Amino acid sequence: MPDRRKFVKLSLLGSAAVLGSGSLLARPNGEQYPDDLIYPTIKNNPIVISTWDFGQEANVAAWEILGKSGRALDAVEAGVKVPEADPDNQSVGLGGRPDRDGKVTLDACIMDEKYNCGSVMCLEHIVHAISVARLVMEKTPHVILAGDGALQFALENGFKKEKLLTAKSEKEWKEWLINSKYEPRVNIENRTHNNGKSQMPGGKDNHDTIGMLAMDANGDLSGACTTSGMAYKIHGRVGDSPVIGAGLYVDNEVGAATSSGVGEEVIRIVGSHLVVELMRQGMKPEDACRKAVERIVKFNPTKAKEVQVGFLAMNKKGEFGAYALQKDFTYSVKSGKEEKTYSSKSIY
């Protein structure tokens, strides 16, 4: 009987066969690659990447661990906890915009280099959803806990119940209630769009996420993703961020990917897993992200013009790249060689 790791590997190769149009192990250029590791492990070259400009601060916290030869898993958790605790970031954690009932519900997931993963969905009253997700991974036989069960688990493990709805987010929600128009827009950042006109009260749009990927000095990968989800969503709505394979996926033999934007469109194509499998076939990170975005356009070209989805990926060489439906999707990078924010290419 094959062991669990071999079983997972064979299952993923089977997925690659579905994605490709040739033999199981065919690269896009027709060459074959071995059914072992695609990339050799690159050591002593730690790097962290994350979605959006505000990922810069998160990367600094992650680098405090990576720069001291710490584990990538610890780094991504520490990194995304920064925006989770920032009340001015209204798309993640504390201060996140509520659902249409006025409740702030958080989604998060985390995945390490050994295919271990944990997730929480519709978690209320806990600032650091990512840390609860990690405990789900490490202390339970499950992958996902949701709603009241996730909250109960968090409280039993020492997390404190807190009010996540800030005065600013509550004021905007009450203004939204006047018309109650649910209209997802593209992009969200600490800046305005459309010639300086804000899309929502407070100068921001109504959705976003931080997704973070890291490679440590041992060459191991991990990832984390956390969000308060779509503003003014139906209570109970879950996007892609806590869904392993959609908002985040890590394969330590190949690479890792994460996403940001309208989660429903990412879930439909199991986006992050798709990006990783395209890298398995030999694609560079940017090309794999572009291919996934094109998949969204192919299935629903009309909807694709109205929403934003961006993918961010890194392979085992430490190469990274991104691609989005719309312009203005940015991502931040920090390594021993650079600390920079990039704008991704886009379809539109």
Side-chain angles (χ1 to χ4, degrees), residues 241-285:
S241 298
V243 179
I244 299 298
L248 175 72
Y249 197 72
V250 178
D251 186 323
N252 206 46
E253 295 181 351
V254 180
T258 188
S259 65
S260 185
V262 178
E264 282 78 1
E265 305 312 308
V266 178
I267 292 172
R268 293 185 216 281
I269 65 165
V270 197
S272 291
H273 183 266
L274 173 61
V275 171
V276 171
E277 290 304 300
L278 289 168
M279 289 193 293
R280 184 189 299 279
Q281 293 184 29
M283 285 190 181
K284 295 288 188 180

